[in-house]
Amino acid sequence: MSGTKPYSISKEVVYQAYLMVKRNKGSYGVDEQSIQEFDKDWKSNLYRIWNRMSSGSYFPMAVKRVDIPKGDGKMRPLGIPTVSDRIAQAVVKMYIEPRLEKIFSNNSYGYRPTRSAIAAVGKARANCFSYEFVVDIDIKGFFDNIDHELLMKAVNWHVSEKWILLYIERWLKAPVLLPNGETMASTKGTPQGGVISPLLANLFLHYAMDVWLEKYHRGVPFERYADDALLHFRSESHAKKVLEALDIRFKECKLELNREKTKIVHCKVSQRQESGEPRSFSFLGYDFKPRGYKTKQGKYGCCYLPAIGKKAKKRFTEKLNSLNISRNTTRSIEEIANLLNPIIRGMMNYFGAYYKSELGKLYAQVDLKLKKWALNKYKKRSILRWLQNLYQTKRDLFEHWKYQKPTQFFG
């Protein structure tokens, strides 16, 4: 323990925080110290973090701003703290997350130990069966616009340790190093990329939205994953009423709804739709819209269901193209499999949870790449018979072969 230090912080928690940051990997911050560099003298580095945090002399460095593409042509700003600062944030997270978990809503799914995006999609799917309208919420620049004073008010309600309050406030106020080399003061927001940021963001929206909905609009089901949220209603008039009230509520909390992206969607396919009425929405990478299905009894129908979204399909295709498989002829088929399988497996594990038949066209893209690779490598059409035999004798070589026959090999 800390001995005579003014703040009692467990060395074991610091070590566990280090292991957590190491598992998550991540880029280096403004000091350009990678996790590999930190590892070279990890005992001394961890002692330094513990010593400074325990004595009150810990001050975070600036946060490095990195812009990454969002997929719609726009850029998303990430704030990358140093490795040491990420470890310090992980320490605080380990102390306060268990107590906050006890108060968070059952409708909140994002960045929580026992919850997942897939569970949120499943809950949304179930609610779309029961409720006729859904409000797809979009908050303008949520992480960049969280009000520090309101956030610290919420933190103070649940945290009594002075050192935790001290360091959270210092992280919020840490300056930002922009890509052009300029330093910008931080007056609002909590940087995406920080270890503590998702927990603080959840706490902010817990009071700004979750508690407010459950108190003043009981009976309105919703799912929230960080700042992505869906609300469900039986009537359009009720949806409009609550949406207007939520707009006012967010303004009170110094947030702003993006009215261009926030929309009310009619999700009952049995009724006639008005011209121009939104027919679909996206949630956590899935596109929800009317889709055909077949019952166990062999009957066909149409229902409002989630499946892999257009943006996710585009990202998969771009990733596949970037590997340039068809020209990678120096590799063996086993090496190609080792290259592709983690990508295929990741897509299947997430997007195979609902309406998995929508993945078929993406599997076909992979098989077409394999066909071109084989033709380029061996320069003869008869190689297709080898691919056919490979599929029939080594079905587990490629992840997707277990689920779909590569028809490109048999054409």
Side-chain angles (χ1 to χ4, degrees), residues 97 99-108 110-112 115 198-204 206-207 210 214 224:
E97 186 174 55
R99 70 187 78 165
L100 295 182
E101 272 296 304
K102 293 178 182 178
I103 61 106
F104 282 160
S105 168
N106 286 331
N107 298 307
S108 169
Y111 307 112
R112 296 181 61 186
R115 291 172 170 263
L199 184 60
L200 296 179
N202 261 342
L203 181 62
F204 192 91
H206 172 73
Y207 286 109
D210 302 355
E214 290 165 353
R224 182 176 66 77

Side-chain angles (χ1 to χ4, degrees), residues 29-32 58-64 80-82 84-85 170-171 174-176:
V30 295
D31 62 352
E32 299 188 354
Y58 163 74
F59 287 87
M61 298 186 73
V63 174
K64 184 177 74 171
I80 311 297
T82 65
S84 293
D85 288 335
R170 286 180 184 174
W171 286 321
V176 177

Side-chain angles (χ1 to χ4, degrees), residues 96 146 151 155 168 172 190 196-205:
I96 67 173
I146 293 175
L151 176 57
V155 172
I168 289 178
L172 292 175
T190 180
I196 197 71
S197 292
L199 184 60
L200 296 179
N202 261 342
L203 181 62
F204 192 91
L205 276 181

Side-chain angles (χ1 to χ4, degrees), residues 92 96 99-100 146-169 172 196 199-201 203-204 207:
V92 168
I96 67 173
R99 70 187 78 165
L100 295 182
I146 293 175
D147 183 80
H148 288 175
E149 184 178 347
L150 289 176
L151 176 57
M152 288 307 301
K153 183 178 179 181
V155 172
N156 271 276
W157 189 255
H158 298 282
V159 175
S160 59
E161 296 93 333
K162 291 183 179 180
W163 63 274
I164 293 179
L165 298 172
L166 178 70
Y167 296 144
I168 289 178
E169 197 151 17
L172 292 175
I196 197 71
L199 184 60
L200 296 179
L203 181 62
F204 192 91
Y207 286 109

Side-chain angles (χ1 to χ4, degrees), residues 19 79 137 162 170 207 220 243 253 269 272 337 340 352 373 385 390-391:
L19 294 180
I137 298 294
K162 291 183 179 180
R170 286 180 184 174
Y207 286 109
V220 174
L243 179 57
C253 298
V269 298
R272 190 172 181 176
L340 288 173
W373 168 84
R385 286 199 295 272
L390 196 66
Y391 164 71

Side-chain angles (χ1 to χ4, degrees), residues 38-51:
F38 187 96
D39 282 346
K40 291 178 181 178
D41 193 18
W42 65 270
K43 287 186 178 180
S44 297
N45 288 331
L46 288 184
Y47 179 82
R48 188 179 301 112
I49 293 170
W50 170 82
N51 186 49

Side-chain angles (χ1 to χ4, degrees), residues 59-336:
F59 287 87
M61 298 186 73
V63 174
K64 184 177 74 171
R65 171 68 60 87
V66 176
D67 294 325
I68 62 170
K70 289 174 63 175
D72 57 1
K74 297 181 180 179
M75 304 298 285
R76 182 190 303 278
L78 289 184
I80 311 297
T82 65
V83 172
S84 293
D85 288 335
R86 294 207 296 275
I87 293 170
Q89 289 186 16
V91 170
V92 168
K93 180 183 177 185
M94 292 173 72
Y95 270 95
I96 67 173
E97 186 174 55
R99 70 187 78 165
L100 295 182
E101 272 296 304
K102 293 178 182 178
I103 61 106
F104 282 160
S105 168
N106 286 331
N107 298 307
S108 169
Y109 292 85
Y111 307 112
R112 296 181 61 186
T114 60
R115 291 172 170 263
S116 68
I118 286 294
V121 172
K123 189 64 176 179
R125 177 179 178 269
N127 280 327
C128 284
F129 279 125
S130 303
Y131 294 83
E132 198 162 331
F133 294 88
V134 62
V135 177
D136 181 11
I137 298 294
D138 188 275
I139 305 172
K140 277 188 178 179
F142 169 65
F143 278 87
D144 292 333
N145 289 299
I146 293 175
D147 183 80
H148 288 175
E149 184 178 347
L150 289 176
L151 176 57
M152 288 307 301
K153 183 178 179 181
V155 172
N156 271 276
W157 189 255
H158 298 282
V159 175
S160 59
E161 296 93 333
K162 291 183 179 180
W163 63 274
I164 293 179
L165 298 172
L166 178 70
Y167 296 144
I168 289 178
E169 197 151 17
R170 286 180 184 174
W171 286 321
L172 292 175
K173 293 179 179 179
V176 177
L177 181 66
L178 301 174
N180 63 7
E182 295 180 3
T183 300
M184 179 180 71
S186 176
T187 57
K188 60 181 179 177
T190 180
Q192 294 189 64
V195 173
I196 197 71
S197 292
L199 184 60
L200 296 179
N202 261 342
L203 181 62
F204 192 91
L205 276 181
H206 172 73
Y207 286 109
M209 179 180 159
D210 302 355
V211 170
W212 178 84
L213 276 173
E214 290 165 353
K215 181 177 181 180
Y216 295 104
H217 299 279
R218 291 181 181 179
V220 174
F222 68 95
E223 305 84 33
R224 182 176 66 77
Y225 191 96
D227 58 328
D228 289 332
L230 302 174
L231 282 62
H232 302 268
F233 300 89
R234 300 196 187 280
S235 71
E236 187 175 16
S237 60
H238 190 197
K240 288 180 177 178
K241 179 182 177 181
V242 174
L243 179 57
E244 291 307 313
L246 185 60
D247 190 19
I248 295 170
R249 171 61 178 173
F250 277 162
K251 287 175 181 175
E252 291 172 349
C253 298
K254 301 183 182 180
L255 295 175
E256 184 180 358
L257 273 178
N258 187 334
R259 297 310 292 255
E260 292 180 1
K261 292 186 177 180
T262 297
K263 58 185 178 181
I264 300 175
V265 181
H266 193 189
C267 54
K268 282 294 181 185
V269 298
S270 60
Q271 297 185 16
R272 190 172 181 176
Q273 303 289 316
E274 294 182 10
S275 176
E277 189 177 44
R279 297 285 284 126
S280 65
F281 65 89
S282 297
F283 184 56
L284 302 177
Y286 277 82
D287 285 353
F288 284 69
K289 68 178 185 179
R291 302 180 191 275
Y293 69 93
K294 185 179 180 180
T295 67
K296 293 180 179 179
Q297 293 75 31
K299 295 181 180 181
Y300 290 89
C302 186
C303 198
Y304 211 82
L305 296 168
I308 183 173
K310 288 182 179 180
K311 290 181 180 179
K313 289 179 180 177
K314 183 181 178 182
R315 285 195 300 270
F316 179 83
T317 300
E318 289 174 347
K319 179 63 176 178
L320 187 62
N321 290 339
S322 71
L323 296 175
N324 207 11
I325 296 297
S326 60
R327 297 190 179 277
N328 215 333
T329 54
T330 59
R331 293 178 183 264
S332 67
I333 190 70
E334 289 78 14
E335 289 173 322
I336 296 295

